[in-house]
Every structure is written in structure tokens, then in C-alpha cells.
Amino acid sequence: DKFREGLTKTRDNFTTKMNDLIANYRTVDEEFFEELEEILFQADVGFDTVMKLVEELKMEVKRQNIKDTKDIRSVISQKLVEIYQGDEKFNNDITLQEEGLTVILFVGVNGVGKTTTIGKLAHSYKQDNKKVMLAAGDTFRAGAIEQLEVWGDRVGVDVIKHAEGSDPAAVMFDAVQSAKARKADILICDTAGRLQNKVNLMKELEKVKKVIEREIPGAPHEVLLALDATTGQNAMTQAKIFKEATNVTGIVLTKLDGTAKGGIVLAIKQELGIPVKLVGLGEKMDDLQPFDAEKYVYGLFA
Ligand code: GDP
């Protein structure tokens, strides 16, 4: 199971520490909870989530009269899933239009795995017999267009591009026209990932979105923010900036296979209120998976 495999580092980390914790503290007491908090913090689970979890665990321990630490394991998983899911109804899936073109806009800083994710996602839709096209909207970074083309060739989908340094909004206009003319089902758009100047970032994303929206009312249907799971708090800071710059509809957490601190998935949702829709679990074409909180949490603790 890909999902399980990709989480090996995080799982080993969690399982070892949880096993030690349960072996060391046989009875559920204040010290046990403190140690548990520490383990969760170290896995980047996030302050709010940890506090909420421990508070609810304490209530549940009282309610069920749990004394033995080994009996608390399943309660932890159950509560973490509940906390992740929350009260609000989030759309955790990527919404595809029933008819006509679906436009997915990708945002995120350079190096987080945005291009790779676009390639993987294109591949996955192609496997579902969808007609997919890519738009090379990062006209700023040298090599970005070529890199997207490499993925386009690999996956077997067309890439709409202009010259390096050209106006990304013009690329998007072209891409949407072409996608409509060729009756594509899905257009996945890359964008430049400069964070140095928030005002410029905002302006560029606004302009790009406006062009797309003018051509297809209601589009872009998804704005996915790619974040690198291995960068911890840095990823969180990026997310806050992008959240201010544009209306992010979902997170793609890349390189989750490369970290033992996979708890960041939980922190992101709790701190930003944006669902993690996809996770990257490797560098290969089929290493992209929809995020399933239950599978994830139970995979770690069970
Ligand atoms: P971009 O600058 O955001 O477009 O980043 P790239 O797509 O070029 O990816 C940067 C590096 O991260 C490349 O070496 C990718 O192979 C690698 N990468 C991307 N996603 C994943 C992932 O989910 N897991 C691992 N292990 N590596 C990844």
C-alpha cells in the first residue's frame, strides 16, 4: 500500500516513541500526558492540535475510566481523526466539473515539488482517461518551462507555453483557449513561486486568476498550494503568505516520505483551516495520493 509505504519514516518515529512511552508509563497520569505532548510536538503535529488532543484525551480517560496506558492508543487515533475533520464541512477532494473544462491552479515557492506534483496529477487524470493539458505559467524561473515540458512528454500531455520572461496572464489566456478548442477535461496551470515581494505575488496571481475567470466563469476551480513537508514551520509561514495572497482551496503536501515529522499534516489543517487534498510520497509518477485522514492517523498509531 503506497500510502503506508510513504509514511514509513513518520510511522517508525511515532511507533517507536509511543511504544517506549507506553512501556515506561504504565498508568495514565500527568507525566504520561506531558511526555505524549512532547512526542507530538517533535513530530510537528502543531501546538493547537496537541493541546486540543490532550484536553480531549483527559476527558475521555475520565469518562471511560482508563487507567492502563496501553488502552489509550486507540483513543488517541480516534480523537486525532475527529480533531482533523473538525465540525466544518470541508471538501477534501479535488472538484472536477461534470461538464466542460476544470481548471486547477498551482501555487507555491520554488523547490517544494510543484512541477513534479503537476506531472503526477496529470498522470493520474490521464490514467482515468481524462484529456489533460498543462499551462507553463512560471515564466520567471529559468528552466521552469522546460521542466514542465519534460513532465508533459513523460506523461504524454500537451504543454502550452510562451517564451521565458513573457506575461503569465497571456500564457493562461492562450492555455484556456487551447484547452477549450481541444475539448480538454482538465487544465493544470503552473505559476511562478516568488515570495520575496508579497504585493507582486498577489498582483500576479490576481491577474492570472482574472484571465482564467473571464474565459470560464467559476474557474479556477481549485487553487492548490504545494508545501514541502520536510520544511516544517517554514512551510507554515509560506502557507500563511499564500493564504493572504489568494484563496487557496487545498494543500498538496509534498515529500511526506522524506520526513519523520509527518504530523505537520494535522497542524496545517488546524492552523490554516485548509484541507490537505493530496500528499506526495516519492519522486515517481504514481507517488501522489489523495489524503485520507483516517488512513493516515490509523496507519501511524495502529
Ligand atoms: P518545484 O521547483 O516546486 O517545481 O519543485 P520540483 O518539482 O522541481 O521538485 C523539487 C525536487 O523535489 C525534485 O528533486 C523532486 O523529485 C523532489 N520531489 C517532489 N515531490 C516529491 C515527493 O513527494 N517526495 C520526494 N521524496 N521528493 C519529491
Side-chain angles (χ1 to χ4, degrees):
D1 175 345
K2 274 254 175 254
F3 204 76
R4 243 187 108 70
E5 223 172 88
L7 286 172
T8 303
K9 284 190 185 168
T10 300
R11 190 176 52 250
D12 286 352
N13 183 26
F14 261 122
T15 321
T16 312
K17 287 182 181 166
M18 283 301 294
N19 287 347
D20 288 351
L21 178 68
I22 285 165
N24 291 341
Y25 295 86
R26 290 183 182 278
T27 46
V28 180
D29 58 14
E30 197 50 44
E31 267 181 84
F32 168 82
F33 281 119
E34 275 172 28
E35 197 72 23
L36 176 65
E37 277 176 18
E38 196 49 43
I39 291 172
L40 295 166
F41 283 143
Q42 279 174 12
D44 274 355
V45 170
F47 186 79
D48 294 349
T49 305
V50 174
M51 287 302 132
K52 198 159 182 200
L53 173 70
V54 170
E55 187 190 309
E56 294 194 7
L57 277 180
K58 285 180 178 170
M59 288 198 292
E60 201 59 26
V61 160
K62 223 181 219 168
R63 209 177 61 81
Q64 292 188 35
N65 198 18
I66 298 174
K67 296 220 160 52
D68 208 324
T69 51
K70 67 175 170 14
D71 298 329
I72 206 173
R73 241 198 161 100
S74 61
V75 189
I76 294 176
S77 316
Q78 186 198 326
K79 288 289 163 199
L80 270 179
V81 173
E82 278 175 27
I83 291 171
Y84 180 86
Q85 284 166 345
D87 306 327
E88 291 170 76
K89 281 273 163 276
F90 282 100
N91 180 6
N92 290 307
D93 302 319
I94 293 178
T95 320
L96 293 185
Q97 298 303 108
E98 275 173 26
E99 261 176 63
L101 183 63
T102 299
V103 182
I104 302 172
L105 192 65
F106 265 85
V107 299
V109 304
N110 297 331
V112 296
K114 197 166 40 160
T115 317
T116 307
T117 304
I118 291 173
K120 289 171 178 173
L121 190 60
H123 170 67
S124 128
Y125 284 135
K126 224 186 147 216
Q127 299 283 90
D128 293 341
N129 291 317
K130 303 280 185 204
K131 186 169 169 60
V132 187
M133 284 173 66
L134 306 181
D138 183 355
T139 59
F140 185 77
R141 182 169 65 92
I145 299 168
E146 289 74 20
Q147 204 193 334
L148 197 68
E149 279 189 300
V150 168
W151 270 105
D153 287 344
R154 197 177 287 163
V155 174
V157 299
D158 289 339
V159 180
I160 303 300
K161 57 163 189 176
H162 286 186
E164 194 180 309
S166 60
D167 183 357
V171 179
M172 294 308 169
F173 179 81
D174 231 17
V176 172
Q177 296 302 333
S178 307
K180 283 203 287 194
R182 297 184 211 174
K183 301 213 180 325
D185 299 303
I186 300 155
L187 175 67
I188 309 178
C189 308
D190 193 12
T191 60
R194 284 169 292 164
L195 261 198
Q196 290 80 355
N197 186 327
K198 200 166 86 186
V199 177
N200 281 350
L201 174 80
M202 253 185 241
K203 275 192 188 147
E204 181 164 320
L205 289 178
E206 257 333 289
K207 198 173 161 197
V208 157
K209 279 181 68 183
K210 225 176 246 164
V211 168
I212 297 172
E213 142 101 319
R214 203 168 52 215
E215 298 309 306
I216 304 173
H221 305 94
E222 292 277 357
V223 179
L224 299 180
L225 170 63
L227 296 175
D228 180 339
T230 66
T231 62
Q233 206 47 49
N234 214 342
M236 202 65 84
T237 308
Q238 288 168 19
K240 282 174 186 156
I241 295 171
F242 276 97
K243 196 185 164 184
E244 277 176 45
T246 188
N247 71 322
V248 178
T249 60
I251 306 274
V252 181
L253 200 59
T254 65
K255 310 185 197 179
L256 202 54
D257 57 305
T259 179
K261 299 181 164 204
I264 192 165
V265 183
L266 305 171
I268 284 175
K269 169 76 184 304
Q270 190 75 14
E271 286 189 32
L272 303 168
I274 304 171
V276 176
K277 295 197 171 182
L278 298 167
V279 290
L281 299 167
E283 296 186 278
K284 291 192 299 294
M285 225 187 269
D286 53 0
D287 289 337
L288 187 73
Q289 294 275 316
F291 179 67
D292 178 333
E294 228 161 295
K295 217 166 148 189
Y296 166 82
V297 169
Y298 283 97
L300 291 188
F301 287 95

